[in-house]
Short mmCIF file of all heavy atoms in Angstrom, two decimals:
data_model
loop_
_atom_site.label_atom_id
_atom_site.label_comp_id
_atom_site.label_asym_id
_atom_site.label_seq_id
_atom_site.Cartn_x
_atom_site.Cartn_y
_atom_site.Cartn_z
N TRP A 3 240.93 -4.54 -2.72
CA TRP A 3 241.81 -4.39 -1.60
C TRP A 3 243.14 -5.19 -1.65
O TRP A 3 243.99 -4.98 -0.80
CB TRP A 3 241.04 -4.93 -0.30
CG TRP A 3 239.73 -4.20 -0.13
CD1 TRP A 3 238.50 -4.72 -0.32
CD2 TRP A 3 239.57 -2.88 0.14
NE1 TRP A 3 237.56 -3.78 -0.19
CE2 TRP A 3 238.15 -2.57 0.12
CE3 TRP A 3 240.47 -1.82 0.51
CZ2 TRP A 3 237.60 -1.36 0.44
CZ3 TRP A 3 239.87 -0.54 0.76
CH2 TRP A 3 238.55 -0.39 0.77
N THR A 4 243.33 -6.01 -2.68
CA THR A 4 244.51 -6.80 -2.78
C THR A 4 245.85 -6.02 -2.72
O THR A 4 246.73 -6.34 -1.99
CB THR A 4 244.45 -7.62 -4.13
OG1 THR A 4 243.32 -8.41 -4.17
CG2 THR A 4 245.74 -8.52 -4.15
N PRO A 5 245.86 -4.81 -3.35
CA PRO A 5 247.15 -4.04 -3.26
C PRO A 5 247.49 -3.61 -1.83
O PRO A 5 248.65 -3.13 -1.52
CB PRO A 5 246.95 -2.85 -4.16
CG PRO A 5 245.69 -3.10 -5.04
CD PRO A 5 245.00 -4.15 -4.26
N PHE A 6 246.54 -3.59 -0.96
CA PHE A 6 246.75 -3.05 0.40
C PHE A 6 247.22 -4.11 1.38
O PHE A 6 247.56 -3.82 2.57
CB PHE A 6 245.57 -2.34 0.92
CG PHE A 6 245.31 -1.06 0.11
CD1 PHE A 6 244.44 -1.06 -0.97
CD2 PHE A 6 246.03 0.12 0.38
CE1 PHE A 6 244.18 0.01 -1.71
CE2 PHE A 6 245.82 1.24 -0.30
CZ PHE A 6 244.88 1.21 -1.36
N LEU A 7 247.21 -5.36 0.97
CA LEU A 7 247.54 -6.45 1.93
C LEU A 7 249.08 -6.44 2.05
O LEU A 7 249.77 -6.78 1.11
CB LEU A 7 247.02 -7.76 1.40
CG LEU A 7 245.54 -7.87 1.30
CD1 LEU A 7 245.12 -9.25 0.69
CD2 LEU A 7 244.86 -7.67 2.65
N ILE A 8 249.55 -6.22 3.21
CA ILE A 8 251.00 -6.33 3.59
C ILE A 8 251.04 -6.98 4.93
O ILE A 8 250.17 -6.96 5.74
CB ILE A 8 251.70 -4.95 3.51
CG1 ILE A 8 251.11 -3.98 4.54
CG2 ILE A 8 251.68 -4.37 2.12
CD1 ILE A 8 251.88 -2.70 4.65
N LYS A 9 252.27 -7.56 5.18
CA LYS A 9 252.44 -8.24 6.53
C LYS A 9 252.48 -7.15 7.64
O LYS A 9 252.75 -6.01 7.46
CB LYS A 9 253.75 -9.05 6.53
CG LYS A 9 254.97 -8.17 6.40
CD LYS A 9 256.22 -9.11 6.50
CE LYS A 9 257.43 -8.20 6.54
NZ LYS A 9 258.58 -8.90 7.04
N ASP A 10 252.12 -7.67 8.76
CA ASP A 10 252.07 -6.78 9.97
C ASP A 10 253.40 -6.23 10.24
O ASP A 10 254.43 -6.98 10.20
CB ASP A 10 251.53 -7.51 11.20
CG ASP A 10 250.06 -7.86 10.91
OD1 ASP A 10 249.34 -7.05 10.30
OD2 ASP A 10 249.57 -8.74 11.65
N LEU A 11 253.50 -5.04 10.68
CA LEU A 11 254.70 -4.42 11.13
C LEU A 11 254.51 -3.78 12.51
O LEU A 11 253.43 -3.35 12.79
CB LEU A 11 255.15 -3.26 10.15
CG LEU A 11 256.01 -3.69 8.99
CD1 LEU A 11 256.33 -2.53 8.09
CD2 LEU A 11 257.36 -4.33 9.43
N GLY A 12 255.54 -3.71 13.24
CA GLY A 12 255.46 -3.04 14.52
C GLY A 12 256.84 -2.83 15.07
O GLY A 12 257.84 -3.39 14.55
N ILE A 13 256.89 -2.18 16.14
CA ILE A 13 258.13 -1.87 16.87
C ILE A 13 258.13 -2.85 18.12
O ILE A 13 257.15 -2.76 18.87
CB ILE A 13 258.23 -0.44 17.28
CG1 ILE A 13 258.24 0.47 16.09
CG2 ILE A 13 259.46 -0.24 18.13
CD1 ILE A 13 258.21 2.01 16.36
N PRO A 14 259.11 -3.70 18.25
CA PRO A 14 259.11 -4.61 19.36
C PRO A 14 259.15 -3.87 20.68
O PRO A 14 259.68 -2.75 20.80
CB PRO A 14 260.40 -5.41 19.21
CG PRO A 14 261.17 -4.73 18.13
CD PRO A 14 260.27 -3.84 17.37
N SER A 15 258.55 -4.50 21.68
CA SER A 15 258.48 -3.77 23.01
C SER A 15 259.89 -3.66 23.63
O SER A 15 260.04 -2.73 24.51
CB SER A 15 257.58 -4.57 23.98
OG SER A 15 258.09 -5.91 24.08
N ASN A 16 260.86 -4.41 23.19
CA ASN A 16 262.19 -4.22 23.78
C ASN A 16 263.16 -3.47 22.92
O ASN A 16 264.33 -3.72 22.84
CB ASN A 16 262.79 -5.72 24.06
CG ASN A 16 262.88 -6.55 22.82
OD1 ASN A 16 262.35 -6.15 21.77
ND2 ASN A 16 263.58 -7.63 22.95
N TYR A 17 262.64 -2.52 22.16
CA TYR A 17 263.49 -1.76 21.26
C TYR A 17 264.47 -0.83 22.01
O TYR A 17 264.26 -0.52 23.15
CB TYR A 17 262.62 -0.82 20.30
CG TYR A 17 262.04 0.38 21.00
CD1 TYR A 17 262.65 1.61 20.99
CD2 TYR A 17 260.81 0.23 21.66
CE1 TYR A 17 262.14 2.66 21.57
CE2 TYR A 17 260.30 1.37 22.25
CZ TYR A 17 260.97 2.58 22.22
OH TYR A 17 260.39 3.66 22.86
N LYS A 18 265.51 -0.49 21.35
CA LYS A 18 266.51 0.38 21.87
C LYS A 18 266.32 1.72 21.18
O LYS A 18 265.96 1.82 20.10
CB LYS A 18 267.89 -0.08 21.62
CG LYS A 18 268.24 -1.39 22.39
CD LYS A 18 269.69 -1.82 22.12
CE LYS A 18 270.00 -3.00 22.91
NZ LYS A 18 269.54 -4.26 22.41
N GLU A 19 266.49 2.82 21.99
CA GLU A 19 266.20 4.19 21.46
C GLU A 19 266.97 4.50 20.21
O GLU A 19 266.44 5.17 19.26
CB GLU A 19 266.69 5.21 22.56
CG GLU A 19 266.17 6.59 22.26
CD GLU A 19 264.69 6.75 22.48
OE1 GLU A 19 264.06 6.01 23.29
OE2 GLU A 19 264.11 7.62 21.77
N GLU A 20 268.20 4.05 20.05
CA GLU A 20 268.97 4.28 18.76
C GLU A 20 268.34 3.50 17.58
O GLU A 20 268.73 3.81 16.43
CB GLU A 20 270.43 3.90 19.02
CG GLU A 20 270.75 2.55 19.39
CD GLU A 20 270.68 2.17 20.88
OE1 GLU A 20 270.37 3.05 21.69
OE2 GLU A 20 271.08 1.06 21.24
N GLU A 21 267.50 2.54 17.75
CA GLU A 21 266.89 1.77 16.66
C GLU A 21 265.73 2.53 16.06
O GLU A 21 265.26 2.20 14.96
CB GLU A 21 266.50 0.41 17.13
CG GLU A 21 267.59 -0.47 17.50
CD GLU A 21 267.12 -1.79 18.06
OE1 GLU A 21 265.97 -1.76 18.63
OE2 GLU A 21 267.81 -2.72 17.99
N LEU A 22 265.18 3.53 16.74
CA LEU A 22 263.91 4.24 16.28
C LEU A 22 264.05 4.88 14.94
O LEU A 22 263.16 4.75 14.16
CB LEU A 22 263.47 5.22 17.31
CG LEU A 22 262.66 4.66 18.56
CD1 LEU A 22 262.30 5.71 19.50
CD2 LEU A 22 261.53 3.84 18.08
N PRO A 23 265.15 5.54 14.57
CA PRO A 23 265.21 6.08 13.27
C PRO A 23 265.11 5.02 12.13
O PRO A 23 264.47 5.28 11.03
CB PRO A 23 266.60 6.76 13.19
CG PRO A 23 266.92 7.07 14.63
CD PRO A 23 266.32 5.91 15.43
N ARG A 24 265.60 3.81 12.34
CA ARG A 24 265.49 2.73 11.41
C ARG A 24 264.01 2.39 11.24
O ARG A 24 263.57 2.20 10.08
CB ARG A 24 266.30 1.57 11.88
CG ARG A 24 266.39 0.43 10.79
CD ARG A 24 267.38 -0.61 11.27
NE ARG A 24 267.13 -1.06 12.64
CZ ARG A 24 266.64 -2.21 12.97
NH1 ARG A 24 266.23 -3.04 12.03
NH2 ARG A 24 266.42 -2.52 14.22
N TYR A 25 263.32 2.23 12.29
CA TYR A 25 261.93 1.92 12.23
C TYR A 25 261.09 3.03 11.54
O TYR A 25 260.28 2.81 10.74
CB TYR A 25 261.32 1.73 13.60
CG TYR A 25 261.76 0.33 14.24
CD1 TYR A 25 262.51 0.34 15.35
CD2 TYR A 25 261.32 -0.84 13.66
CE1 TYR A 25 262.93 -0.84 15.96
CE2 TYR A 25 261.70 -1.99 14.26
CZ TYR A 25 262.55 -2.03 15.37
OH TYR A 25 262.92 -3.27 15.94
#
Side-chain angles (χ1 to χ4, degrees):
W3 305 107
T4 305
F6 292 96
L7 298 176
I8 59 172
K9 66 178 188 165
D10 291 334
L11 271 178
I13 299 175
S15 59
N16 60 348
Y17 75 92
K18 295 183 174 78
E19 192 71 30
E20 60 271 7
E21 295 174 334
L22 280 180
R24 185 172 52 104
Y25 288 114

